[in-house]
Amino acid sequence: MTIRAVVWGENIHERTNEVVAGIYPEGMHATIAKALNTDEAISASTATLEQPEHGLPEARLAETDVLVWWGHKNHGAVADEVVERVARRVWEGMGLIVLHSGHFSKIFKRLMGTPCTLKWREAGERERLWATSPNHPIAEGVGEFFELENEEMYGEQFAVPEPLETVFISWFQGGEVFRSGLTYRRGAGNVFYFRPGHETYPTYHDATVQKVLRNAVKWAHNPQGSKPAILNAPNVPVEQALEPIEERGGKLHAHGEAGFR
């Protein structure tokens, strides 16, 4: 079955900055989607901030297997209602890939539960990304390392929870290092953070970066499908206990009443 991916882009710098527009005339989201669509296993479409409901209404998210997220200039403009909608879908099993400055997005901070802060420097430095987990599916075909001639520096401390796995670590020309490829699981959903992607450099035109993104979409996909029951907190009747029990003691809730949230 084809993996249904949606590439969400803020789509502000591409329309307001001549440098970015020259590199990504159709938008970064379109460049990323085009790269994903070179794989027959993936069918990628796009959504942007300025669209109604940011292009992510309930019905579309329900049919999305993996959401790819890039934002930078206006994280705060993303409606909280949409953030919670995306979070619920991740908990249910939708994959999420957060790119570059998306570390400060509402959805990433919501799922991480931490500030997601870091050091940074915009100086066009060489970045060398080492595959610290070379057997991970996301690193397949990448090799021991790859390099980007110009990138924005991100440096530790990266204030995120300990990941399930660290797939890539970056070294920058100025000497800093950074955990650049991190995997998480939130509810039933797989989450991958991938650092490269500053908009004033042609990072998403790089063949190896594109390969990592295709690998990540396949890894994040949950072939078992959505698990909406994970959001339930059922009040199980005594008579439905697996073994016979006798009800004892006081109660806060009536039979069948929902729990406090």
Side-chain angles (χ1 to χ4, degrees):
M1 181 180 295
T2 303
I3 300 170
R4 301 165 298 181
V6 173
V7 181
W8 190 90
E10 200 176 59
N11 196 34
I12 295 177
H13 285 117
E14 300 98 312
R15 295 180 295 152
T16 60
N17 184 287
E18 292 183 1
V19 175
V20 181
I23 299 171
Y24 299 106
E26 297 179 356
M28 282 180 287
H29 54 290
T31 300
I32 294 169
K34 183 177 179 180
L36 296 179
N37 281 325
T38 62
D39 192 313
E40 293 182 355
I42 302 171
S43 176
S45 58
T46 64
T48 55
L49 177 66
E50 72 271 15
Q51 293 174 337
E53 300 184 75
H54 311 318
L56 300 174
E58 293 272 10
R60 188 177 190 189
L61 278 177
E63 297 178 348
T64 300
D65 298 315
V66 179
L67 177 63
V68 181
W69 191 280
W70 192 100
H72 187 189
K73 184 176 176 60
N74 205 356
H75 297 305
V78 178
D80 291 341
E81 178 184 357
V82 174
V83 174
E84 290 305 307
R85 184 182 301 167
V86 172
R88 289 195 300 271
R89 282 291 294 124
V90 173
W91 294 331
E92 290 175 350
M94 182 183 73
L96 177 67
I97 299 169
V98 176
L99 302 175
H100 190 60
S101 46
H103 72 91
F104 257 165
S105 64
K106 286 184 177 181
I107 183 57
F108 191 62
K109 292 194 290 185
R110 174 73 172 89
L111 293 172
M112 294 299 105
T114 57
C116 302
T117 48
L118 47 82
K119 297 176 183 176
W120 62 279
R121 179 173 57 241
E122 191 178 17
E125 300 170 54
R126 182 184 308 113
E127 177 180 6
R128 182 177 297 134
L129 293 100
W130 292 90
T132 52
S133 185
N135 293 326
H136 197 283
I138 294 176
E140 182 181 353
V142 171
E144 187 178 13
F145 67 88
F146 67 97
E147 293 186 352
L148 299 170
E149 186 58 33
N150 301 111
E151 253 298 348
E152 181 182 22
M153 182 278 290
Y154 278 8
E156 296 288 346
Q157 180 189 8
F158 189 17
V160 291
E162 276 300 305
L164 290 175
E165 292 184 277
T166 300
V167 184
F168 298 107
I169 287 180
S170 289
W171 166 90
F172 294 89
Q173 211 168 345
E176 290 86 358
V177 297
F178 190 78
R179 292 168 291 163
S180 286
L182 306 178
T183 68
Y184 297 91
R185 183 163 294 114
R186 292 295 182 264
N190 295 318
V191 179
F192 179 58
Y193 172 77
F194 188 48
R195 197 219 69 83
H198 190 59
E199 54 268 42
T200 61
Y201 311 121
T203 299
Y204 294 123
H205 293 292
D206 183 86
T208 306
V209 169
Q210 292 182 357
K211 184 172 188 60
V212 170
L213 294 177
R214 289 190 292 268
N215 289 347
V217 166
K218 293 178 181 178
W219 170 84
H221 175 230
N222 181 358
Q224 297 181 351
S226 181
K227 304 289 183 183
I230 198 171
L231 300 177
N232 299 335
N235 180 354
V236 181
V238 170
E239 59 270 18
Q240 291 183 14
L242 297 179
E243 304 292 342
I245 59 172
E246 179 182 341
E247 188 172 323
R248 299 181 295 178
K251 295 169 64 70
L252 285 174
H253 298 280
H255 291 289
E257 183 182 358
F260 299 125
R261 296 206 184 199

